[in-house]
């Protein structure tokens, strides 16, 4: 299975002399050739007009080498054999391939068949739009409860007879919340689409008339008929039908049927996965962009897993390394204005402000949130909290209460009018890496990643063919040249 899974990806790394002149090799990474078409695809995709920090071809070539080195390390670590990797890659790959198995016109046939089923289900009848006022009766209701519901629905019926608005009564009395907000109005329905008792009464009414109270299996109803109509033509309903079937995954269902059929008809019989592997090779051979799109996802998954294992996860847990990194680079993290490290909390009750101060006096900072939650928020949320490092402008309430900014004004939290802070105002800092933990950890991970790439460059040979690199076409540059040419004309 694994051989089939990646065979098309291996093709992407082979240099076929037949196409040597049309698609020359732009670089070799660990002896594996990278064709110009692959590099060009990735360069233009990751260096388009929406990218702020655009790279020259030469700059991007170095980034692409780093990318390929990480993928090579992942392959050497056999991460592509992990079941978790194969499952995630297949899921993405199949999302690209399965829709391509759907024959032209197949979705249209499904839409027509769906319309035919709707038409048949009407049994020659019209569509109706009912509206109702509903009083629920539980399946387990005793005689007293049933009688109470009957009295209530009868009183509603009497009010209607005396001239009350059906829509207003539905809004205030009906126990069907979805229709009540619309004055009792329900969607258009046909035969066998609702309760039998309900349908019989609704179809017996004239438009604009309402029924006497009646009991169904779920409760009492008074039904009003808002309208009747014949089923619209297929052309009118087609957009809605198509949209609905697409939301239900119609293309995927068609593809599944196609794959099952191919599997049953193959000799010797192949599995659905084997057929998908073959179709992937076939489609990728015909569509270079599809091939590189799938390869990009394949390699991206490997790169992420390799960096997670070798760099990001170990670095985030290396507290000693993070502390040393912070110590060496402390100056770059210095701030000019005071910060507040601590917690601001909002209370429903005024007395809780001082109570929280007293409660947390000897509690470690990392346990503040849990301590307050257990003491004050067991049954309901009477205290809301936010704990982190604040700088001026992050929170006007912190600015006023903790940073003593005279220009700041309190912004009350609805339902929690009382506020307090607990923590420490830091005039200079940060004094410890934990004061700005996420930022330092990210920077340390980046440094470790650079070291990891440097090791990979020593481990694997890299050769960039500058003459081929110079011929790489930038879509962005082509666009600029075209625009300039049009202006001159």
């Amino acid at each position: 299975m694994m051989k089939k899974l990646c065979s098309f990806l291996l093709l992407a790394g082979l240099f076929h002399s037949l196409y040597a002149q049309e698609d020359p090799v732009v670089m070799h990474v660990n002896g594996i050739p990278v064709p110009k078409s692959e590099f060009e695809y990735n360069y233009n995709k990751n260096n388009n007009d929406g990218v702020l920090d655009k790279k020259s071809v030469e700059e991007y070539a170095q980034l692409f080498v780093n990318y390929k080195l990480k993928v090579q390390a992942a392959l050497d670590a056999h991460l592509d054999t992990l079941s978790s990797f194969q499952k995630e890659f297949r899921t993405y790959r199949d999302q690209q391939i399965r829709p391509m198995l759907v024959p032209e016109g197949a979705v249209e046939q499904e839409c027509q068949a769906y319309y035919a089923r709707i038409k048949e289900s009407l049994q020659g009848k019209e569509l109706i739009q009912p509206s109702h006022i509903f009083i629920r009766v539980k399946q387990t209701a005793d005689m007293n409860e049933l009688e109470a519901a009957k009295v209530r629905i009868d009183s509603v019926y009497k009010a209607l007879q005396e001239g009350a608005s059906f829509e207003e009564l539905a809004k205030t009395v009906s126990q069907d919340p979805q229709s009540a907000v619309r004055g009792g109005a329900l969607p258009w329905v046909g035969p066998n689409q609702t309760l039998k008792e309900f349908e019989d009464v609704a179809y017996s009414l004239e438009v604009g008339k309402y029924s006497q109270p009646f009991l169904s299996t779920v409760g009492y109803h008074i039904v009003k008929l808002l309208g009747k109509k014949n089923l619209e033509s297929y052309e009118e309903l087609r957009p809605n039908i198509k949209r609905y079937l697409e939301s239900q995954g119609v293309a995927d269902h068609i593809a599944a049927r196609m794959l099952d059929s191919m599997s049953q008809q193959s000799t010797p019989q192949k599995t659905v996965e084997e057929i998908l592997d073959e179709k992937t090779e076939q489609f990728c051979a015909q569509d270079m962009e599809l091939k590189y799109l799938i390869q990009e996802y394949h390699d991206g998954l490997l790169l992420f897993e390799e960096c997670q294992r070798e760099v990001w996860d170990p670095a985030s847990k290396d507290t000693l390394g993070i502390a040393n990194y912070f110590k060496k680079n402390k100056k770059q993290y210095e701030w000019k204005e005071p910060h507040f490290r601590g917690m601001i909390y909002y209370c429903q009750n005024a007395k809780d402000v001082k109570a929280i101060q007293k409660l947390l006096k000897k509690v470690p900072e990392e346990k503040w949130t849990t301590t307050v939650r257990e003491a004050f928020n067991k049954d309901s949320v009477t205290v809301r909290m936010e704990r982190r490092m604040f700088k001026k402008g992050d929170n006007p309430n912190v600015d006023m209460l903790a940073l003593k900014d005279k220009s700041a004004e309190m912004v009350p939290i609805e339902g929690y009018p009382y506020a307090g802070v607990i923590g420490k105002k830091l005039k200079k800092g940060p004094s410890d890496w934990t004061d700005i933990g996420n930022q330092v950890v990210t920077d340390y991970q980046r440094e470790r990643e650079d070291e990891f790439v440097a090791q990979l460059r020593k481990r694997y040979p890299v050769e960039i063919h500058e003459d081929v690199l110079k011929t790489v076409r930038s879509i962005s540059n082509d666009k600029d040249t075209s625009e300039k040419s049009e202006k001159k004309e």
Side-chain angles (χ1 to χ4, degrees):
M1 184 186 295
M2 194 61 215
K3 182 178 178 182
K4 281 286 184 182
L5 174 65
C6 294
S7 59
F8 82 94
L9 293 167
L10 295 176
L11 286 173
L14 296 175
F15 177 61
H16 298 287
S17 59
L18 178 63
Y19 302 104
Q21 293 182 349
E22 294 180 5
D23 196 9
V25 174
V26 74
M27 64 178 66
H28 282 83
V29 179
N30 195 37
I32 299 174
V34 176
K36 175 185 170 182
S37 60
E38 179 188 349
F39 178 83
E40 208 166 58
Y41 165 83
N42 282 275
Y43 173 68
N44 283 303
K45 181 174 181 179
N46 296 297
N47 211 51
N48 57 43
D49 290 339
V51 176
L52 296 177
D53 184 20
K54 288 188 177 182
K55 304 294 182 184
S56 67
V57 172
E58 292 74 20
E59 289 172 329
Y60 187 78
Q62 295 302 319
L63 297 176
F64 195 71
V65 166
N66 296 344
Y67 171 79
K68 284 292 185 181
L69 288 171
K70 294 169 189 173
V71 173
Q72 186 60 52
L75 291 170
D76 285 352
H78 306 294
L79 299 185
D80 57 329
T81 65
L82 296 174
S83 60
S84 57
F85 165 80
Q86 293 181 30
K87 181 179 179 181
E88 186 170 356
F89 171 65
R90 275 190 174 279
T91 298
Y92 174 81
R93 193 267 328 252
D94 292 354
Q95 286 174 353
Q96 310 305 313
I97 300 301
R98 289 172 74 96
M100 300 177 71
L101 298 172
V102 179
E104 186 176 353
V107 173
E108 177 64 22
Q109 290 177 4
E110 291 291 325
C111 291
Q112 292 176 0
Y114 186 81
Y115 180 81
R117 290 195 295 272
I118 294 176
K119 196 169 184 179
E120 184 181 356
S121 71
L122 289 178
Q123 303 168 0
K125 293 184 178 181
E126 294 175 300
L127 289 167
I128 59 171
Q129 186 183 20
S131 178
H132 76 151
I133 298 171
F134 173 63
I135 301 299
R136 182 176 289 103
V137 176
K138 295 185 294 185
Q139 296 285 330
T140 57
D142 57 27
M143 290 301 297
N144 290 333
E145 291 172 314
L146 189 63
E147 182 60 29
K150 178 71 166 60
V151 169
R152 191 171 187 189
I153 199 71
D154 285 343
S155 68
V156 173
Y157 183 67
K158 183 179 179 182
L160 288 172
Q161 290 182 309
E162 293 174 351
S165 165
F166 190 97
E167 290 72 21
E168 291 303 317
L169 281 172
K171 289 178 181 178
T172 56
V173 176
S174 181
Q175 293 177 342
D176 175 10
Q178 290 187 331
S179 68
V181 295
R182 298 190 298 271
L186 293 163
W188 289 89
V189 295
N192 303 312
Q193 291 185 339
T194 184
L195 298 169
K196 181 68 168 58
E197 306 93 332
F198 190 98
E199 179 184 320
D200 289 344
V201 172
Y203 265 100
S204 71
L205 294 171
E206 294 180 14
V207 174
K209 302 296 183 181
Y210 58 83
S211 71
Q212 294 182 356
F214 65 93
L215 182 63
S216 75
T217 55
V218 294
Y220 279 102
H221 310 259
I222 299 174
V223 177
K224 181 179 180 180
L225 188 59
L226 300 180
K228 284 185 178 182
K229 67 177 181 180
N230 292 318
L231 181 66
E232 294 91 339
S233 68
Y234 173 70
E235 287 71 25
E236 290 177 275
L237 290 181
R238 182 183 178 277
N240 290 337
I241 292 174
K242 188 168 186 274
R243 191 158 45 245
Y244 170 73
L245 291 180
E246 286 175 345
S247 73
Q248 300 299 305
V250 62
D252 196 57
H253 293 315
I254 296 171
R257 292 201 301 268
M258 295 284 297
L259 287 165
D260 287 338
S261 176
M262 291 178 193
S263 175
Q264 294 297 326
Q265 294 175 16
S266 60
T267 306
Q269 188 170 349
K270 298 171 184 174
T271 66
V272 167
E273 287 189 350
E274 288 173 332
I275 293 171
L276 277 168
D277 291 338
E278 290 179 356
K279 288 297 180 182
T280 299
E281 287 187 40
Q282 177 187 331
F283 293 146
C284 287
Q286 298 167 353
D287 186 342
M288 196 66 69
E289 188 166 333
L290 173 67
K291 171 177 153 181
Y292 290 142
L293 175 66
I294 294 176
Q295 181 179 333
E296 181 183 20
Y297 192 82
H298 172 275
D299 290 355
L301 283 176
L302 286 177
L303 179 149
F304 180 86
E305 189 65 32
E306 176 70 5
C307 287
Q308 187 71 27
R309 289 166 177 251
E310 297 296 328
V311 180
W312 302 330
D313 196 40
S316 66
K317 295 175 181 177
D318 181 13
T319 53
L320 180 60
I322 295 169
N324 289 333
Y325 176 84
F326 172 75
K327 190 175 181 180
K328 287 189 296 183
N329 299 277
K330 192 173 181 179
K331 282 189 176 181
Q332 75 182 54
Y333 298 110
E334 287 181 353
W335 54 59
K336 295 180 180 179
E337 291 186 336
H339 283 49
F340 174 70
R341 185 183 69 208
M343 182 172 79
I344 182 168
Y345 53 93
Y346 304 93
C347 308
Q348 292 181 345
N349 305 309
K351 60 184 178 61
D352 290 343
V353 174
K354 288 186 178 180
I356 290 173
Q357 291 278 350
K358 185 177 180 181
L359 175 68
L360 300 181
K361 198 169 185 179
K362 295 183 179 179
V363 176
E365 186 178 338
E366 64 273 12
K367 294 183 178 180
W368 285 354
T369 305
T370 303
T371 303
V372 173
R373 188 182 296 122
E374 290 177 351
F376 291 87
N377 291 347
K378 276 189 175 181
D379 299 321
S380 62
V381 180
T382 61
V383 179
R384 289 175 57 180
M385 300 161 281
E386 183 181 3
R387 184 178 76 84
R388 61 184 176 92
M389 178 72 74
F390 296 88
K391 66 178 184 295
K392 186 178 178 181
D394 284 351
N395 185 310
N397 300 330
V398 172
D399 290 348
M400 181 177 177
L401 297 174
L403 297 176
K404 306 301 180 183
D405 182 359
K406 294 181 180 179
S407 64
E409 294 183 5
M410 285 293 292
V411 178
I413 304 297
E414 186 177 354
Y416 299 83
Y418 309 101
V421 291
I422 182 169
K424 186 176 181 181
K425 181 180 178 180
L426 304 173
K427 294 183 178 179
K428 294 182 179 180
S431 58
D432 189 82
W433 73 268
T434 56
D435 291 341
I436 47 169
N438 290 338
Q439 185 179 350
V440 177
V441 170
T442 299
D443 292 344
Y444 181 58
Q445 287 175 323
R446 189 178 295 114
E447 181 180 76
R448 288 281 295 270
E449 188 171 348
D450 291 342
E451 293 170 356
F452 179 60
V453 169
Q455 294 171 8
L456 295 180
R457 282 185 174 259
K458 291 179 181 178
R459 188 191 311 176
Y460 301 117
V462 174
E463 183 181 7
I464 297 177
H465 306 294
E466 300 292 344
D467 56 332
V468 178
L469 190 66
K470 290 177 181 178
T471 67
V472 169
R473 186 171 62 91
S474 168
I475 293 177
S476 180
N477 290 342
D478 289 351
K479 182 180 177 182
D480 292 341
T481 302
S482 176
E483 289 176 351
K484 289 177 182 179
S485 176
E486 288 177 3
K487 287 180 181 180
K488 286 181 180 180
E489 292 177 2

